[in-house]
Amino acid sequence: MGPPSCPFCSFSNSNPYFLAQHVETLHPEDGEPSFVSRHFLEEEAGCKEATTVQGAPSQPYIECECGEAIVASDFEDHAQLHSAEAADSAADMAEIVGGPALPTQLSSTDREAGSVEPTVSISMAIHSPSVYQFASSSKPRQPSQAVDHGSQHAAKDRLALLLASNASGKKRDVAKHRNAKRLGEAELGPYAHEDQMPAWLQRQLERGAKVTIVNQISHEGQLVRLERVANEAKGVLSVLAQLCEQDHLLAKVYLCHPGVQHVFKMAKEGGFCGYRNIQMMISYVQAARSQGHELFPGRLPSVLDLQELIESAWDRGINTTGKVETGGIRGTRKYIGTPEAQTLLTSLSIGCEASALNDTDHRPVHEQVYDYVEQYFIDSTTNPATKVCKTSSAPIYFQHQGHSLTIVGLEIRKSGNRNLLVFDPSFKPSPGIQRLLGAKFRAAAPEKLLKAYRRGDRYLGKHSSFELLRLCDRRSFGAGWDEL
């Protein structure tokens, strides 16, 4: 017997909360949804009315139990992706045939970020979420010393260095002031007018995700200790490459650099997808050692650090329109998008190029997106004859109204249909995917594990415009596919 289904359409979900949200939102008795609307969310957040506001959303925001506010028309897809996120049955159909031994957790359990330091001499650094520096001591920190004031000062020093990067250069503005007005909920989300996020969320972001130290057998057969961050997944692209090879319905697949991490939100943090996608872009910069990698030698910058970098760029005259349109983002839950990502990268002298695609009479916008992404990967493919083309290209920042994702590949089915392959910061890898990290395997049903990463006509067809941001420097000097 399958999961419960909607009595009015074909939607089904095993989670009764999602099913009830679907019915009340898309099939309300009186024509108005009874669940949390954007207005309720504003009142709960203590939002203040802006003097000049544009872009009021045509649909309500629905609050998912995961903590994220979703535009009503996207809620059904969001619920289905939660089902894929939890799916584990397909993992039983994947036979592991090789790869390193499963990581072994140390006797010390998960600690908050910043509470441990490496105890062996390997190339890694563990520090608080704000510290971008290599660990300077091999002596382990005691659990009772979780708050290290020296690390906090080092964090401030490192952030100051980043903020000063390229500060002496000529001020630039990547967008023109053309009667810029304060944006509203349609662009900035349900907390478009808040002055400060809740204190509990601020503290959660300051602490960062939990860090675990694990033992793992390296490719050279040596035992090494590695850092695992609770909301970051390394090695997912290697799993996707194997699944795509084994999916007999696929004719061609393009994948980006394998070092790109899948970064996803922490529990109940809400809509910080723009920041999480920037972190994924930076994970490429680190792994490929591409332009700007020297600015990020340690952990990925935190959400709060990214806010500080964007605000600093505005203060220096880079895309100051963004400051006017958002009213400032420091310490808030306002959505950010392509302009803010471009502003941050430009301020750090990391070359990038933004593109906007819209529906035309001649070609639907989602087909234009497929064309753009396919050509992007073709341009960096060194072995076009293979089914799965493993490139060294950077991922692409991908924005539509209300959400952003990171494009990590594109697949062409034997039917001719195309799908984007994405890392969605709203969802973590399923247990089935997590079990296959670092292993070679044979999957009886690869399409089930790939479902969560595919975005095709149904998803993209609901939107009339998209924005894409790609890095200009696509050279890779770090470990690539050959080193896996």
Side-chain angles (χ1 to χ4, degrees), residues 106 108 111-128 131 133-142 148 151 211-215 224-228 297-299:
L106 296 179
S108 54
R111 293 104 176 242
E112 295 295 335
S115 65
V116 291
E117 291 181 356
T119 57
V120 291
S121 179
I122 57 177
S123 179
M124 59 183 271
I126 300 176
H127 35 66
S128 66
V131 179
Q133 63 171 5
F134 291 109
S136 58
S137 170
S138 60
K139 182 179 179 181
R141 187 183 303 153
Q142 298 301 317
D148 184 345
S151 293
V211 175
T212 305
I213 303 301
V214 297
N215 286 331
V224 294
R225 290 183 175 183
L226 299 177
E227 169 194 24
R228 274 194 172 173
R299 285 276 312 282

Side-chain angles (χ1 to χ4, degrees), residues 51-290:
T51 55
T52 304
V53 178
Q54 64 179 19
S58 58
Q59 305 177 61
Y61 285 97
I62 306 300
E63 186 176 30
C64 176
E65 66 175 6
C66 72
E68 189 165 352
I70 310 298
V71 175
S73 62
D74 291 337
F75 186 81
E76 182 174 340
D77 284 332
H78 185 83
Q80 294 282 22
L81 288 168
H82 270 304
S83 297
E85 176 186 42
D88 199 21
S89 59
D92 297 332
M93 294 179 278
E95 177 189 2
I96 296 178
V97 296
L102 291 176
T104 303
Q105 185 172 312
L106 296 179
S107 56
S108 54
T109 57
D110 290 350
R111 293 104 176 242
E112 295 295 335
S115 65
V116 291
E117 291 181 356
T119 57
V120 291
S121 179
I122 57 177
S123 179
M124 59 183 271
I126 300 176
H127 35 66
S128 66
S130 298
V131 179
Y132 311 119
Q133 63 171 5
F134 291 109
S136 58
S137 170
S138 60
K139 182 179 179 181
R141 187 183 303 153
Q142 298 301 317
S144 61
Q145 296 176 291
V147 178
D148 184 345
H149 297 290
S151 293
Q152 289 179 344
H153 290 305
K156 294 179 180 178
D157 291 343
R158 179 58 186 165
L159 184 59
L161 178 61
L162 275 171
L163 294 174
S165 173
N166 201 36
S168 59
K170 183 179 179 180
K171 291 185 177 181
R172 292 163 290 174
D173 195 336
V174 298
K176 294 181 179 179
H177 276 285
R178 290 189 175 177
N179 300 318
K181 297 180 180 179
R182 178 73 179 270
L183 300 177
E185 296 169 34
E187 300 85 11
L188 304 179
Y191 304 106
H193 312 305
E194 82 170 358
D195 296 323
Q196 183 66 44
M197 69 178 71
W200 66 265
L201 181 56
Q202 178 90 16
R203 291 192 297 269
Q204 176 175 301
L205 294 174
E206 289 171 351
R207 287 194 302 266
K210 288 186 178 181
V211 175
T212 305
I213 303 301
V214 297
N215 286 331
Q216 184 169 308
I217 304 298
S218 70
H219 293 289
E220 292 77 25
Q222 298 178 336
L223 180 67
V224 294
R225 290 183 175 183
L226 299 177
E227 169 194 24
R228 274 194 172 173
V229 183
N231 72 325
E232 300 173 12
K234 299 179 180 180
V236 177
L237 274 156
S238 180
V239 174
L240 298 187
Q242 295 182 70
L243 291 171
C244 289
E245 285 280 10
Q246 297 170 31
D247 189 338
H248 301 302
L249 296 178
L250 297 180
K252 195 77 172 179
V253 179
Y254 299 95
L255 295 173
C256 71
H257 191 283
V260 177
Q261 299 182 46
H262 184 180
V263 183
F264 44 94
K265 65 182 182 183
M266 297 187 291
K268 301 296 182 181
E269 75 172 34
F272 289 112
C273 58
Y275 300 100
R276 299 305 183 191
N277 287 304
I278 292 175
Q279 288 175 325
M280 289 191 247
M281 299 284 282
I282 293 174
S283 76
Y284 162 81
V285 171
Q286 291 178 322
R289 297 184 63 78
S290 68

